[in-house]
């Protein structure tokens, strides 16, 4: 046994030890992927309006567990008691991570954990892989409505408040250095005089002002009109799918505009404007006149959201089970909506299998080929994200696959 | 920040080493590195290795440790030792002098154990650091190779990590090559001499079973796949080898956790008590020592159980009860008995040999089962229950917490399907984990994979192939 070696602590060693950075980054990337995979589940739980974007959401992470062969939950365990254990005594909870055996890392529960994400981050992740920005420039009208001040260079004139003191002082210093040099080379200076010794005041030429220009941003207010069929046939599952879609739409619009309003219209044979709560939770019965919803939407637009001032996005979710006699009226109203909306969409919600024995509005809407009209078919929750992409994606040709 | 200098540590280290020699511990040369908590978290995430190949799971491990540490859920260990020669240990800079002294003594306990216990004889401690470094270099080279790239490396590593503990548990048992194993099997069928041939006619040798691959079930999944899947590329084979080698290095530590921690705790206590510490240090030592070796109700603290058993072995040697006297080797002192034991046992045999009814009652070991939502004590260590408790404990320590899965046939049903068998011992597999792990086997094997197991008392077959996972109860 030779001499023991003590290697003292050095900060550089500590910095070098950050070799985990790469692996940590890769791990975080996998978390993000996992969130993206589960996004339909997460958003379906969120309410559309009134949420704080800083709110923290717990997201269960499934994708990054490390799987190996392990024993299941029926496996008994051995532990130490408090000294007076009795048979039949309860020592813990079976579900989740039991306070049982010391075999961390082996039991399935321990790898399952949640991560905290803010709603803001979540939305960012959602839109990360969407190519959206060109959308409204093509299909939508723009309104110059928002002005901001933006700095652009420096001037010698300006108002007092924009005086840049630092640069001004620098100008004076430059002038002073120049003066010293001039004096020392040209003349022999009189002692105790000149720039070196005495005062050297600021001059008008020294003053530097920040120059501000106003910038017109081409964006404006927007309104999202959520129209939904609440007839008897719209069950909880269908509403859940619709909610997920509306949530995405609302969040998307929020990323594009300063001020976004949202209106809910529920309809069966007649339509009325409702609150979000009523929109998703109230069930009505009876038949369906889709035209009633569109007419109501047009009324709301006329009254509160005039198209010359507002960007209007409307989306209608229905199972497509309309009264035949209403179809011509619905088509006509839809056309009118297309004229006032930036984007008008119709989503037909048909949980898997049901589309074979119910009528469908998708066929009727084939006849409507306005540029800003889009239909999607949503059969299950996995369809929401792709259909949303299709709805807003810039390439209309790519959406054909989603249509029924 | 700290109440000591490097000189203090050297002073105490020299005194501890005198004691180490006096007590007859035999250690590798020792190196200590003083580090801060960030570096310690890094070492923990990478199993203490100064150099290790990259994989996201180590990033995950780091984040998890850091989160737990930042939120005060768990502290950091006082030290970390790795089995190498010279033995490398990390000391936390912010610890007090007393903790450093305790830790240094503790480290020498581990060092002696690594050097002497039989399970570590295969780990080649003098090459540990260089081996891990070489692995890291190779993996990095593959990552940088534009024809391979990070994603594919990660795919293989993910799968290999899932299977890394599916391997032989006892390194002391030599593994035969396939021809040698086949020869051994053949020979077992044809005994050379029959001691009873005069009494009865020699039975006709049964026809040999058709030769198959592997001749007998093989527990080394990674190696088996490496050697029998001809479609793997060289770098894929190399990754499997690397992951396998690293797992082999850690298995002895998993297999001797209770003994090893108990041994180190026994020696730090013995050494510090013999050092005649000044009173202030001594009081702090008593507090710290008890924090380490206190029982964790509801769980198993290997420091506690290990120390209790080593104390008991010493007592048995020195003052055995008449009954124990008969069963112990004659004229061995307690210390001699301990030194023998630290060489020849691993946790399973250690507990089997030295954990008796009385010790179990003193430790209040219990067995619990889930009933509904609760975990309920099913057996306590009394006259009726202790055997049940002990049996389960012995079954679940060390590698006992990993199910035994063996390759039965690499050409099952003549289609290169890989047949695996789960050696069922009353504990079922967790189905979701089995499914995902089978998908990894499938990724490495490239053809269908079938696993025979038992679920809820019935034979079942899990399989993973082109069309994904399926689970069937046997007819």
């Amino acid at each position: 046994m030779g001499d023991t070696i003590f290697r003292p602590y050095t900060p550089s060693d500590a910095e070098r030890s950050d070799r985990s950075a790469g692996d940590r980054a890769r791990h975080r990337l996998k978390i993000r992927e996992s969130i993206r995979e589960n996004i339909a589940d997460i958003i379906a739980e969120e309410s559309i309006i009134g949420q704080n974007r800083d709110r923290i959401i717990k997201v269960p992470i499934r994708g990054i567990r490390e799987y190996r062969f392990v024993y299941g939950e029926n496996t008994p365990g051995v532990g130490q008691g408090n000294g007076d254990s009795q048979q039949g005594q309860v020592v813990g909870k079976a579900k989740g991570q039991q306070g049982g055996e010391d075999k961390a890392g082996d039991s399935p529960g321990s790898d399952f954990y949640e991560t905290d994400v803010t709603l803001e981050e979540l939305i960012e992740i959602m839109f990360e892989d969407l190519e959206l920005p060109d959308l409204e420039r093509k299909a939508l009208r723009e309104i110059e409505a928002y002005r901001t001040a933006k700095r652009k260079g420096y001037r010698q004139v300006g108002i007092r408040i924009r005086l840049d003191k630092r640069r001004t002082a620098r100008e004076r210093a430059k002038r002073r250095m120049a003066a010293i040099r001039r004096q020392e080379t040209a003349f022999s200076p009189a002692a105790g005089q000149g720039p070196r010794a005495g005062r050297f005041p600021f001059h008008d030429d020294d003053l530097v002002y920040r120059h501000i220009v106003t910038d017109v941003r081409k964006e404006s207010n927007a309104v999202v009109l959520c129209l939904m069929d609440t007839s008897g046939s719209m069950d909880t599952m269908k509403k859940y799918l619709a909610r997920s879609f509306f949530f995405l739409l609302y969040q998307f619009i929020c990323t594009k505009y300063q001020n976004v309003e949202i209106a809910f219209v529920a309809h069966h044979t007649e339509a009325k404007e409702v609150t979000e709560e009523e929109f998703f939770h109230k069930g009505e019965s009876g038949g369906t006149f889709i035209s009633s919803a569109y007419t109501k939407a047009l009324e709301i637009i006329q009254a509160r959201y005039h198209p010359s001032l507002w960007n209007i996005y409307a989306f209608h979710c229905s199972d497509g089970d309309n009264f035949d006699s209403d179809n011509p009226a619905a088509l006509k109203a839809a056309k009118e909506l297309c004229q006032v909306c930036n984007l008008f969409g119709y989503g037909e919600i048909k949980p898997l299998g049901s589309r074979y024995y119910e009528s469908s509005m998708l066929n009727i809407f084939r006849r409507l080929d306005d540029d800003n009209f889009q239909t999607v078919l949503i059969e299950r929750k996995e369809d929401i994200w792709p259909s949303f992409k299709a709805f807003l994606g810039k390439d209309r040709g790519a959406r054909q696959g989603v249509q029924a | 920040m700290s109440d000591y200098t490097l000189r203090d540590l050297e002073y105490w280290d020299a005194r501890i080493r005198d004691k180490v020699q006096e007590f007859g511990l035999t250690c590798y040369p020792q190196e200590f590195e003083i580090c801060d908590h960030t570096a310690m978290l890094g070492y923990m995430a990478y199993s203490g290795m100064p150099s290790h190949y990259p994989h996201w799971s180590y990033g995950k491990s780091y984040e998890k440790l850091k989160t737990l540490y930042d939120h005060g859920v768990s502290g950091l260990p006082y030290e970390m030792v790795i089995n190498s020669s010279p033995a490398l240990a990390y000391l936390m800079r912010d610890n007090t002098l007393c903790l450093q002294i305790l830790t240094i003594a503790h480290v020498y306990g581990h060092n002696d154990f690594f050097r002497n216990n039989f399970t570590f004889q295969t780990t080649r401690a003098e090459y540990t650091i260089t081996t891990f470094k070489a692995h890291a270099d190779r993996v990095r080279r593959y990552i940088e190779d534009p024809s391979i790239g990070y994603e594919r490396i990660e795919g293989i590593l993910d799968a290999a990590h899932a299977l890394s503990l599916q391997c032989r548990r006892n390194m002391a048992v030599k593994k035969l090559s396939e021809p040698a194993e086949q020869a051994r099997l053949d020979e077992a069928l044809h005994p050379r001499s029959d001691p009873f041939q005069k009494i009865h006619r020699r039975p006709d040798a049964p026809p040999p079973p058709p030769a198959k691959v592997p001749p007998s079930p093989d527990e080394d999944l990674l190696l088996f796949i490496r050697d029998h899947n001809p479609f793997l590329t060289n770098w894929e084979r190399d990754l499997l080898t690397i992951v396998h080698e690293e797992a082999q290095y850690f298995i002895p530590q998993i297999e001797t956790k209770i003994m090893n921690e108990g041994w180190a705790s026994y020696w730090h206590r013995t050494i510090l008590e013999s050092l005649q510490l000044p009173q202030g240090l001594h009081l702090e030592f008593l507090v710290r020592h008890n924090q380490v070796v206190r029982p964790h109700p509801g769980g198993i603290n290997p420091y506690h159980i290990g120390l209790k058993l080593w104390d008991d072995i010493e007592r048995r040697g020195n003052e055995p009860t008449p009954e124990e006297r008969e069963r112990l080797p004659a004229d061995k002192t307690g210390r001699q008995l301990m030194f023998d034991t630290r060489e020849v046992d691993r946790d399973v045999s250690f507990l089997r040999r030295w954990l008796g009814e009385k010790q179990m009652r003193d430790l209040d070991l219990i067995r619990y089962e889930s009933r509904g939502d609760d975990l309920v004590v099913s057996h306590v260590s009394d006259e009726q229950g202790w055997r049940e408790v002990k049996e389960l404990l012995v079954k679940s320590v060390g590698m006992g917490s990993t199910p035994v899965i063996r390759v039965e046939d690499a050409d099952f049903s003549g289609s290169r399907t890989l047949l695996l068998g789960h050696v069922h011992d009353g504990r079922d597999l967790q189905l979701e984990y089995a499914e995902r792990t089978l998908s990894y086997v499938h990724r490495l094997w490239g053809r269908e994979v079938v696993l025979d197991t038992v679920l809820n008392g019935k034979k079942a077959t899990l399989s993973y192939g082109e069309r994904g996972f399926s689970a069937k109860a046997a007819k």
Side-chain angles (χ1 to χ4, degrees):
Chain A
M1 183 161 126
D3 272 349
T4 307
I5 295 170
F6 276 93
R7 263 185 261 140
Y9 172 78
T10 50
S12 67
D13 280 351
E15 277 155 28
R16 193 195 57 198
S17 73
D18 196 26
R19 57 179 167 160
S20 64
D23 288 339
R24 275 166 25 220
R26 180 68 193 151
H27 173 238
R28 273 196 295 272
L29 202 68
K30 290 182 91 75
I31 290 185
R32 269 176 110 80
E33 277 169 15
S34 173
I35 292 175
R36 194 174 292 150
E37 280 164 23
N38 297 320
I39 216 133
D41 273 345
I42 300 163
I43 53 170
E45 303 301 322
E46 291 302 310
S47 63
I48 294 172
I49 47 173
Q51 73 286 73
N52 175 5
R53 282 198 160 207
D54 295 332
R55 201 163 77 76
I56 286 170
I57 298 172
K58 290 215 175 293
V59 180
I61 301 297
R62 294 199 174 85
I64 45 168
R65 276 198 239 175
E66 289 161 80
Y67 292 94
R68 30 179 83 233
F69 288 115
V70 294
Y71 290 119
E73 272 183 22
N74 68 344
T75 313
V78 174
Q80 251 182 304
N82 284 315
D84 54 351
S85 298
Q86 302 292 321
Q87 225 168 310
Q89 192 183 336
V90 176
V91 287
K93 288 275 167 218
K95 289 275 148 57
Q97 179 60 3
Q98 53 254 47
E101 230 175 325
D102 180 21
K103 50 172 189 180
D106 290 343
S107 44
S110 66
D111 256 10
F112 176 83
Y113 65 98
E114 289 177 327
T115 186
D116 291 342
V117 187
T118 62
L119 190 58
E120 181 84 53
E121 275 178 279
L122 202 60
I123 290 158
E124 205 178 282
I125 294 171
M126 281 175 1
F127 293 118
E128 217 165 52
D129 56 352
L130 269 184
E131 295 176 63
L132 298 166
D134 289 348
L135 178 81
E136 75 265 55
R137 228 153 282 157
K138 266 195 218 158
L140 324 177
R141 81 199 81 214
E142 291 166 355
I143 299 161
E144 298 179 0
Y146 197 81
R147 285 159 191 275
T148 52
K150 189 178 161 190
R151 277 165 59 174
K152 193 178 183 184
Y154 298 90
R155 296 284 168 97
Q156 284 206 316
V157 289
I159 52 173
R160 185 85 190 168
I161 197 85
R162 300 210 179 118
L163 179 72
D164 190 322
K165 293 184 185 132
R166 194 183 157 86
R167 282 172 190 272
T168 302
R170 212 190 288 158
E171 286 303 310
R172 172 181 166 272
K174 272 197 251 172
R175 199 162 51 79
R176 181 162 172 246
M177 291 310 293
I180 291 169
R181 216 174 300 128
R182 199 165 51 234
Q183 216 164 41
E184 283 174 353
T185 50
F187 310 98
S188 63
Q193 281 202 334
R196 234 183 225 297
R199 282 183 68 246
F200 194 82
F202 282 96
H203 191 269
D204 269 352
D205 289 344
D206 296 338
L207 303 184
V208 179
Y209 296 90
R210 287 184 287 268
H211 183 52
I212 305 286
V213 291
T214 51
D215 187 28
V216 180
R217 286 177 65 182
K218 290 175 178 166
E219 55 186 305
S220 176
N221 303 326
V223 58
V224 180
L225 293 168
C226 304
L227 318 176
M228 187 162 69
D229 187 345
T230 51
S231 65
S233 56
M234 286 293 285
D235 57 22
T236 319
M237 183 60 190
K238 291 178 185 175
K239 285 183 184 168
Y240 164 87
L241 295 172
R243 172 203 281 274
S244 307
F245 193 95
F246 286 131
F247 177 80
L248 280 174
L249 183 64
Y250 176 76
Q251 292 302 340
F252 169 67
I253 303 298
C254 283
T255 62
K256 313 297 297 175
Y257 300 100
Q258 299 277 324
N259 175 23
V260 179
E261 293 206 8
I262 186 162
F264 297 95
V265 173
H267 76 94
H268 37 104
T269 48
E270 48 190 83
K272 62 177 170 219
E273 194 175 352
V274 295
T275 64
E276 181 183 354
E277 183 69 11
E278 289 171 317
F279 189 70
F280 288 111
H281 295 106
K282 220 161 118 187
E284 304 262 358
S285 52
T288 310
F289 286 156
I290 284 178
S291 65
S292 69
Y294 297 172
T295 315
K296 184 76 189 176
L298 288 165
E299 271 172 34
I300 293 173
I301 291 168
Q302 197 59 41
R304 307 207 307 260
Y305 305 109
H306 196 276
S308 64
L309 294 170
W310 292 81
N311 292 283
I312 302 164
Y313 294 81
F315 196 79
H316 177 218
C317 283
S318 165
D319 55 6
D321 206 3
N322 200 26
F323 272 129
D324 284 349
S325 61
D326 183 55
N327 286 345
L331 194 61
K332 182 167 169 289
K335 268 198 176 125
E336 279 176 46
L337 264 178
C338 285
Q339 276 155 27
V340 296
C341 289
N342 298 15
L343 200 57
F344 171 51
Y346 168 72
E348 190 149 300
I349 301 185
K350 289 231 184 283
L352 221 51
S354 59
R355 57 195 269 221
Y356 300 107
Y357 50 88
E358 281 174 9
S359 59
S360 168
M361 283 302 285
L362 286 173
N363 293 325
I364 311 291
F365 283 132
R366 287 256 163 81
R367 277 174 258 162
L368 196 67
D369 62 349
D370 287 49
D371 272 351
N372 56 349
F373 179 71
Q374 174 66 38
T375 61
V376 293
L377 173 69
I378 302 173
E379 289 183 311
R380 60 198 145 190
K381 68 175 197 270
E382 291 78 31
D383 291 343
I384 291 173
W385 188 235
S387 57
F388 180 74
K389 280 205 259 191
F391 182 57
L392 293 172
K394 57 181 174 179
D395 180 12
R396 221 184 158 207
R399 296 176 218 143
Q400 299 304 324
V402 186
Q403 291 183 350
Chain B
M1 172 98 47
S2 52
D3 60 348
Y4 61 89
T5 62
L6 210 57
R7 200 165 286 271
D8 292 333
L9 295 186
E10 280 164 358
Y11 165 76
W12 286 104
D13 174 68
R15 292 195 55 189
I16 290 168
R17 281 174 40 154
D18 288 344
K19 292 292 171 192
V20 164
Q21 261 167 356
E22 185 187 320
F23 290 125
L25 298 178
T26 47
C27 299
Y28 294 124
Q30 180 68 50
E31 280 183 38
F32 290 100
E33 181 176 321
I34 320 288
C35 69
D36 62 8
H37 74 274
T38 337
M40 187 59 112
L41 287 169
Y43 284 129
M44 286 169 74
Y46 291 90
S47 323
M49 293 304 160
S51 178
H52 200 284
Y53 64 78
H55 186 256
W56 61 267
S57 60
Y58 305 113
K60 170 182 159 183
S61 161
Y62 183 95
E63 302 267 21
K64 200 167 173 180
L65 289 165
K66 183 161 175 6
T67 310
L68 293 176
Y69 173 73
D70 286 349
H71 290 78
V73 180
S74 73
L76 291 175
Y78 299 145
E79 45 71 36
M80 178 148 198
V81 205
I82 63 173
N83 161 32
S84 62
S85 172
L88 195 48
Y90 307 100
L91 300 176
M92 285 277 279
R93 176 174 66 137
D94 296 345
N95 285 344
T96 59
L97 177 62
C98 173
L99 261 181
Q100 302 292 20
I101 298 170
L102 184 150
T103 305
I104 291 171
H106 191 86
V107 165
Y108 282 113
H110 282 309
N111 186 333
D112 168 79
F113 194 86
F114 287 143
R115 177 150 179 182
N116 291 288
N117 181 269
F118 84 102
T119 59
F120 290 90
Q121 299 314 307
T122 49
T123 56
R124 299 193 302 163
E126 62 277 28
Y127 300 122
T128 300
I129 307 282
T130 41
T131 306
F132 276 77
K133 173 108 177 35
H135 289 168
D137 290 346
R138 258 144 71 201
V139 175
R140 290 217 171 83
R141 212 177 316 135
Y142 295 138
I143 290 173
E144 281 157 20
D145 184 337
S147 70
I148 303 172
Y150 187 81
E151 302 272 324
R152 291 169 71 199
I153 300 285
E154 190 179 82
I156 298 292
L157 285 180
D158 285 356
H161 284 184
L163 301 178
S164 66
L165 291 182
Q166 301 302 330
C167 58
R168 289 181 312 129
R169 285 127 201 262
N170 195 338
M171 307 305 150
V173 179
K174 191 165 184 290
K175 185 184 180 181
L176 297 173
S177 68
E178 273 178 22
E181 177 67 15
Q182 188 64 52
R184 189 187 68 76
L185 289 175
D186 289 345
E187 197 170 306
L189 280 174
H190 305 281
R192 276 205 200 121
S193 66
D194 181 355
F196 304 109
Q197 52 190 317
K198 284 193 180 145
I199 303 172
H200 58 74
R201 200 169 65 84
R202 192 178 178 137
D204 293 332
K212 66 176 172 84
V213 179
S216 4
D218 192 339
E219 289 179 36
D220 273 316
L221 253 55
L222 285 180
L223 289 192
F224 186 86
I225 291 172
R226 179 193 72 181
D227 296 337
H228 292 86
N229 178 3
F231 300 107
L232 290 176
T233 61
N234 284 335
W235 64 265
E236 285 171 328
R237 289 211 174 89
D238 194 26
L239 288 183
L240 300 189
T241 313
I242 287 172
V243 172
H244 175 79
E245 274 179 21
E246 298 204 352
Q248 298 285 295
Y249 170 82
F250 289 110
I251 283 174
Q253 303 186 26
I254 299 170
E255 282 282 84
T256 57
K257 178 89 178 159
I258 294 175
M259 284 177 79
N260 198 348
E261 293 300 357
W263 183 256
S265 301
Y266 175 91
W267 287 109
H268 80 231
R269 188 189 61 193
T270 308
I271 291 171
L272 263 72
E273 277 172 351
S274 71
L275 279 178
Q276 315 257 311
L277 294 173
Q279 198 180 19
L281 286 180
H282 190 75
L283 282 174
E284 192 188 342
F285 150 65
L286 289 177
V287 173
R288 302 288 191 182
H289 171 73
N290 282 304
Q291 280 170 349
V292 172
V293 301
R294 71 180 210 286
H296 295 164
I300 297 281
N301 180 1
Y303 293 82
H304 178 68
I305 297 197
L307 180 62
K308 288 277 177 211
L309 285 179
W310 283 116
D311 280 344
D312 196 55
I313 293 170
E314 186 176 29
R315 178 200 58 78
R316 287 197 215 199
N318 294 339
E319 317 145 8
T321 61
E323 187 193 346
E324 284 166 347
R325 171 85 305 186
E326 282 175 30
R327 301 174 54 191
L328 287 171
D331 62 11
K332 289 235 169 171
T333 65
R335 282 280 160 79
Q336 281 168 337
L337 211 51
M338 288 174 73
F339 278 96
D340 289 354
T341 303
R342 74 104 146 72
E343 245 172 85
V344 302
D345 273 335
R346 55 194 177 127
D347 280 355
V348 172
S349 57
F350 184 67
L351 295 177
R352 211 180 267 144
R353 287 214 294 158
W354 303 106
L355 186 63
E357 187 191 341
K358 180 177 179 304
Q359 290 80 24
M360 292 181 61
R361 216 173 21 233
D362 291 347
L363 292 166
D364 191 24
L365 290 173
I366 51 167
R367 171 178 160 150
Y368 57 81
E369 284 168 7
S370 58
R371 260 181 228 154
D373 285 347
D374 292 326
L375 292 176
V376 176
V377 176
S378 62
H379 299 83
V380 294
S381 292
D382 56 13
E383 221 165 305
Q384 294 94 43
W386 73 274
R387 280 173 204 282
E388 298 279 333
V389 181
K390 180 172 171 179
E391 184 204 1
L392 184 65
L393 179 63
V394 167
K395 216 157 79 171
S396 49
V397 292
M399 290 289 289
S401 58
T402 304
V404 177
I405 310 282
R406 307 189 298 192
V407 180
E408 302 280 350
D409 192 347
D411 191 27
F412 185 56
S413 73
S415 61
R416 219 169 75 77
T417 295
L418 187 69
L419 175 66
L420 305 175
H422 168 213
V423 183
H424 195 270
D425 62 355
R427 294 177 287 178
D428 286 4
L429 294 177
Q430 212 273 14
L431 210 53
E432 188 200 346
Y433 273 63
E435 171 185 343
R436 297 299 198 100
T437 314
L438 278 180
S439 82
Y440 286 134
V441 186
H442 177 250
R443 186 186 293 175
L444 295 178
W445 183 245
R447 299 294 288 261
E448 189 171 15
V449 177
V450 177
L451 171 66
D452 281 339
T453 181
V454 175
L455 293 171
N456 284 328
K458 284 183 195 136
K459 286 195 170 186
T461 302
L462 314 179
S463 71
Y464 203 100
E466 293 287 297
R467 273 169 297 173
F469 178 72
S470 80
K472 284 187 209 113
K475 286 160 215 152

